[in-house]
Amino acid sequence: MCGARNTEPAYIRGLLRVVDNRAVDVRVKVCPQDPVSVVRHAAGERTRARDHYDRTWCVLDVDDFAHLDEALRLARAERIDIALSNPCFELWLLLHFRTHSAPVDGFRQAERHLLPHHRGYSKAADRFTFDLYRETWPQAVERARALARPGEEHKEEPVDRDVATSPGDRPGSSAELTSARTRPLW
């Protein structure tokens, strides 16, 4: 379940085409609302599907959402996995092109860093093409791992731990995501 309407779902669909694991059935759904609403919607979708899904994921940004901690607690209670970008998904996109470890103070700043690499990028655009990211997603994973605190590159972070959950904190993007836990997307 993506908490954004355009970029995240288009990116995930593009990545699924590249990875092409036919043994896995992934359904990308969208709920462009606040994180608590996204998690609730995902839990409802899973209930309506009557255990059709082995795992349920929500893709969320830290952004400026006031109730992110509540969404993370709800996800843990519902056994929903969280892919969390701090502060926003655009940081993950930037990591496809270069390392970036300085604090990022929200979407506008991340977008400014991304634009030289993805000319014309717009979060609001109806069309997002994965082609620009197709070859470099493995490097982005490594760069995201490098953003983790030393020794915590593969560590799960319990929801109630003091994680970076506001823009300007240590930027992060989960590379490996695990059940009922959150990691600072991709």
Side-chain angles (χ1 to χ4, degrees):
M1 185 69 58
C2 294
R5 184 180 321 270
N6 300 317
T7 308
E8 289 89 330
Y11 179 94
I12 293 168
R13 287 181 184 113
L15 182 62
L16 290 170
R17 283 190 299 278
V18 169
V19 174
D20 192 27
N21 183 346
R22 294 168 196 226
V24 178
D25 179 24
V26 177
R27 308 275 169 101
V28 179
K29 299 192 176 204
V30 176
C31 178
Q33 297 180 27
D34 65 278
V36 174
S37 298
V38 173
V39 173
R40 284 186 182 137
H41 189 77
E45 287 280 326
R46 186 186 57 207
T47 299
R48 283 186 291 283
R50 293 197 175 105
D51 295 326
H52 173 76
Y53 304 111
D54 292 329
R55 295 177 79 171
T56 302
W57 289 89
C58 290
V59 178
L60 304 173
D61 290 347
V62 168
D63 283 328
D64 293 317
F65 291 110
H67 302 288
L68 182 62
D69 288 343
E70 179 184 345
L72 299 178
R73 280 190 296 278
L74 178 61
R76 182 171 57 186
E78 293 286 344
R79 295 189 176 137
I80 292 175
D81 300 291
I82 298 292
L84 184 66
S85 293
N86 186 14
C88 56
F89 193 74
E90 286 69 23
L91 173 64
W92 167 243
L93 298 178
L94 177 62
L95 293 175
H96 286 68
F97 304 105
R98 66 178 180 90
T99 300
H100 187 89
S101 58
V104 177
D105 195 29
F107 163 74
R108 292 285 174 223
Q109 188 178 20
E111 182 185 47
R112 278 195 301 276
H113 291 291
L114 178 61
L115 282 171
H117 307 284
H118 186 154
R119 296 197 196 307
Y121 174 80
S122 170
K123 186 179 202 78
D126 288 340
R127 293 188 47 112
F128 171 87
T129 179
F130 181 74
D131 294 344
L132 192 57
Y133 302 91
R134 173 189 282 290
E135 302 298 323
T136 57
W137 68 267
Q139 292 89 343
V141 169
E142 292 306 314
R143 290 175 182 135
R145 286 182 182 149
L147 288 176
R149 290 177 176 87
E152 296 185 0
E153 296 87 350
H154 303 284
K155 184 176 179 182
E156 296 174 359
E157 295 189 29
V159 172
D160 56 358
R161 183 169 173 242
D162 181 24
V163 295
T165 56
S166 63
D169 286 346
R170 184 180 191 92
S173 205
S174 304
E176 295 177 73
L177 309 165
T178 51
S179 182
R181 305 273 181 164
T182 184
R183 289 184 52 82
L185 176 63
W186 302 95

